Amino acid sequence: MEHEITENPLRGVEATIGSGHYGVFDQGAHVWSWQPDGAAPVLWMSAKSWFADGQPIRGGVPICFPWFGNGRAGDQEPGHGFARLHTWHLSDIKDTLDRDGRLLVEYTLDNAMTGQQPDWPHRYEARFVAKFTPEYLGMTLEVTNTGQSHVPLDGALHTYLAVGDVRKVSVSGLDGAEYYDKVTGQTETQSGDVTITGETDRVYRSTGEVVLDDPVLGRKLVIAKSGSANTVIWNPWVDKSAAAPDFGDDEWQGMICIEAANALADQLTLRPGETHTLKQRITLA
């Protein structure tokens, strides 16, 4: 569904390339649109999303930082961390669009900007770079520990992908991977391709790329990553869609999340001065 983002209170960067479109919000350094010229939108956005300061944005690519969900122990608030609720600083020298239809956008965030965080009282600098091209969307999140003590870190690039019908897609590249099923609370091993037949919320132990095959839209997406121990696959299905106020009742059919993450038992620890880099690239195959 199309959105009149120009009427939206959230600031950001937008570019129109022929029939294509790129977009990032300053809040959360949140990539919300990658639509190459001549292609259908690759990222999914909810028509019910709250486009308001300090509220989470449903769809696109939320940056889950400095924790995923409610953290490893399950008691950290807000869900998926505080970084997606704060306005990041846009570096002017990186807001550039070239004649080949490539846009590079750079954002930064640090502890002075986000203030005291009781559940994560650490000094840090974060840098996020999004590179939009007609062929791929590349995203890089760098987090540096600028304090004097060790810092726990998990999180994700929580990427929502648009599909023709989630019940007909398949995801290859995870055969044989162990995963924790957050719906059942069980640890399982993937056999064959991933298909969506009900509520799905799985944290796979996998560092490789996956391929999303979408027969309805007639395309394949290759999702590659680095600096990520986990691939998360999520779809809320019927009941959770209906229960979420920022999610249309039937919108679950048109989306799937495939996320580059470090979560649960794969939480990281940053030593003083250490930087961790998380990358994800989505390519139209």
Side-chain angles (χ1 to χ4, degrees):
M1 181 175 292
E2 294 182 358
H3 293 270
E4 295 295 334
I5 300 300
T6 54
E7 299 176 3
N8 204 285
L10 299 181
R11 300 175 303 279
V13 177
E14 287 187 76
T16 300
I17 312 298
S19 65
H21 188 260
Y22 310 150
V24 189
F25 289 127
D26 292 347
Q27 178 178 302
H30 190 119
V31 175
W32 65 270
S33 179
W34 177 51
Q35 180 180 0
D37 186 15
V42 176
L43 300 180
W44 176 90
M45 290 292 296
S46 172
K48 297 290 186 178
S49 181
W50 301 315
F51 294 108
D53 288 336
Q55 295 292 332
I57 299 166
R58 176 71 74 179
V61 188
I63 296 175
C64 302
F65 163 73
W67 56 78
F68 176 79
N70 293 105
R72 184 173 182 179
D75 59 355
Q76 291 178 290
E77 295 290 345
H80 287 321
F82 53 79
R84 66 182 183 144
L85 305 180
H86 284 266
T87 297
W88 291 49
H89 173 69
L90 173 64
S91 175
D92 293 335
I93 62 170
K94 292 295 184 181
D95 175 11
T96 58
L97 177 66
D98 67 24
R99 66 181 63 189
D100 295 323
R102 300 171 188 273
L103 176 68
L104 187 68
V105 180
E106 179 181 303
Y107 283 92
T108 57
L109 189 74
D110 60 32
N111 53 281
M113 298 167 65
T114 51
Q116 181 65 29
Q117 298 292 330
D119 284 347
W120 207 74
H122 304 292
R123 295 177 59 86
Y124 73 93
E125 291 179 354
R127 174 176 173 265
F128 177 72
V129 177
K131 184 175 184 179
F132 301 84
T133 81
E135 299 82 24
Y136 68 87
L137 168 63
M139 296 172 288
T140 301
L141 175 65
E142 296 179 352
V143 179
T144 301
N145 176 2
T146 60
Q148 300 302 312
S149 59
H150 286 57
V151 172
L153 177 68
D154 55 338
L157 296 174
H158 194 319
T159 305
Y160 289 76
L161 298 170
V163 297
D165 185 338
V166 74
R167 295 164 294 189
K168 297 181 179 179
V169 306
S170 62
V171 180
S172 61
L174 294 168
D175 184 30
E178 180 184 275
Y179 66 90
Y180 176 69
D181 191 326
K182 297 178 73 175
V183 177
T184 66
Q186 302 296 313
T187 299
E188 309 282 353
T189 299
Q190 181 64 37
S191 178
D193 293 349
V194 180
T195 56
I196 309 299
T197 58
E199 182 187 350
T200 303
D201 194 354
R202 300 175 180 177
V203 181
Y204 286 86
R205 272 199 159 151
S206 174
T207 59
E209 71 178 30
V210 300
V211 178
L212 173 64
D213 188 355
D214 186 345
V216 174
L217 292 183
R219 70 184 182 192
K220 293 184 178 182
L221 299 176
V222 179
I223 300 101
K225 61 177 187 164
S226 64
S228 162
N230 306 112
T231 294
V232 178
I233 306 289
W234 182 72
N235 181 278
W237 208 248
V238 179
D239 292 343
K240 284 200 171 179
S241 294
D246 62 342
F247 207 116
D249 289 357
D250 297 323
E251 287 187 323
W252 61 271
Q253 301 174 49
M255 57 71 61
I256 186 172
C257 284
I258 301 180
E259 311 168 34
N262 293 293
L264 303 179
D266 293 300
Q267 183 184 74
L268 304 168
T269 299
L270 291 185
R271 297 184 297 273
E274 187 176 10
T275 298
H276 178 261
T277 302
L278 175 64
K279 294 184 178 182
Q280 188 182 52
R281 175 180 286 203
I282 306 166
T283 305
L284 275 169

